[in-house]
Amino acid sequence: MSSRERPAAVLFDMDGTLVDTEDLWWDACVEVADGLGSPLGEADREALFGLSVEDAALHITAALDTTGGPGAPAVETMLTDAFTRRLENGVTTLPGAVALLEALRAAGIPAGLVSASPRPVVDLVLETVGGHRFRLSVAAGDSARNKPAPDPYLAAAARLGVDPAACVAVEDSPTGVASARSAGCAVIVVGSSGAVSGVTAVPTLESVDLPLLRRLVSRAPM
């Protein structure tokens, strides 16, 4: 592929996209909420899917009688600690993740990691996936606003020196899709949240290859 026929970069979400951490995240949320005396239900699981730690903390504290109780910043710290403890036991890369990253590297296409998770969480996961496979990583706090705002994807594109419209973002949640689309990226959504209007849906990363990435960016104005 010539430089005009391929993405300027491919920007990956992390949790649930590259690594199987969604159940670990839910377990961390349940632990914190139970400890605060406000158990979560299945409706909360759906609401918490794809949220940043900051927004998850707000969700949990909204259900609390906060008189004398912890505020959202304290709950955010509790969530980060609970999630990190679980990640320290190791995480599983999702099917097709490593092969796709290696294909991008062989083709000379930069890969970036754009996560709503805090930096300690991102760095732990990079130890499993391989930090050398990414040109950069953006974590919570590395941009002015987190997902679903466009800031994380705009920050990644700016640091790479590329136009967001020439990038493909790979996401798994409506929150992440909203962030990437508002930044101007072409978007692939992976997995069970695939029914998102206006984006390309695939069952797993095994279905993502260089021709698909080329087709997505070739649709954008040059």
Side-chain angles (χ1 to χ4, degrees):
M1 287 184 286
S2 73
S3 61
R4 290 177 62 85
E5 294 175 328
R6 65 185 190 182
V10 180
L11 306 174
F12 292 89
D13 173 55
M14 186 179 77
D15 297 300
T17 299
L18 289 174
V19 288
D20 187 9
T21 54
E22 297 298 337
D23 286 343
L24 300 180
W25 169 239
W26 171 244
D27 290 346
C29 291
V30 167
E31 175 189 313
V32 171
D34 283 352
L36 295 171
S38 183
L40 299 174
E42 279 305 309
D44 295 294
R45 182 170 188 142
E46 183 175 349
L48 289 163
F49 176 57
L51 289 189
S52 66
V53 175
E54 306 99 297
D55 289 339
L58 289 171
H59 178 90
I60 290 171
T61 55
L64 297 174
D65 176 3
T66 56
T67 304
V75 174
E76 183 181 334
T77 299
M78 295 164 68
L79 286 169
T80 299
D81 290 345
F83 192 31
T84 301
R85 286 198 309 273
R86 287 162 171 80
L87 293 175
E88 286 171 346
N89 294 322
V91 294
T92 302
T93 55
L94 287 166
V98 171
L100 177 56
L101 288 166
E102 287 299 312
L104 293 173
R105 189 159 66 148
I109 301 171
L113 187 65
V114 182
S115 176
S117 290
R119 174 56 60 184
V121 170
V122 169
D123 287 345
L124 266 176
V125 171
L126 282 172
E127 292 178 10
T128 296
V129 180
H132 64 283
R133 295 189 168 103
F134 298 92
R135 188 72 57 87
L136 58 77
S137 63
V138 174
D142 290 344
S143 58
R145 298 175 296 175
N146 210 334
K147 301 175 185 179
D151 303 41
Y153 281 101
L154 293 175
R159 285 173 54 187
L160 289 169
V162 298
D163 182 352
C167 298
V168 177
V170 186
E171 277 282 355
D172 77 314
S173 73
T175 300
V177 169
S179 174
R181 291 184 76 180
S182 59
C185 301
V187 183
I188 295 172
V189 62
V190 183
S192 59
S193 294
V196 179
S197 175
V199 303
T200 298
V202 296
T204 73
L205 290 176
E206 293 170 304
S207 300
V208 181
D209 56 17
L210 298 183
L212 172 59
L213 296 170
R214 180 179 66 241
R215 289 196 298 274
L216 289 173
V217 295
S218 69
R219 298 174 190 168
M222 301 303 292

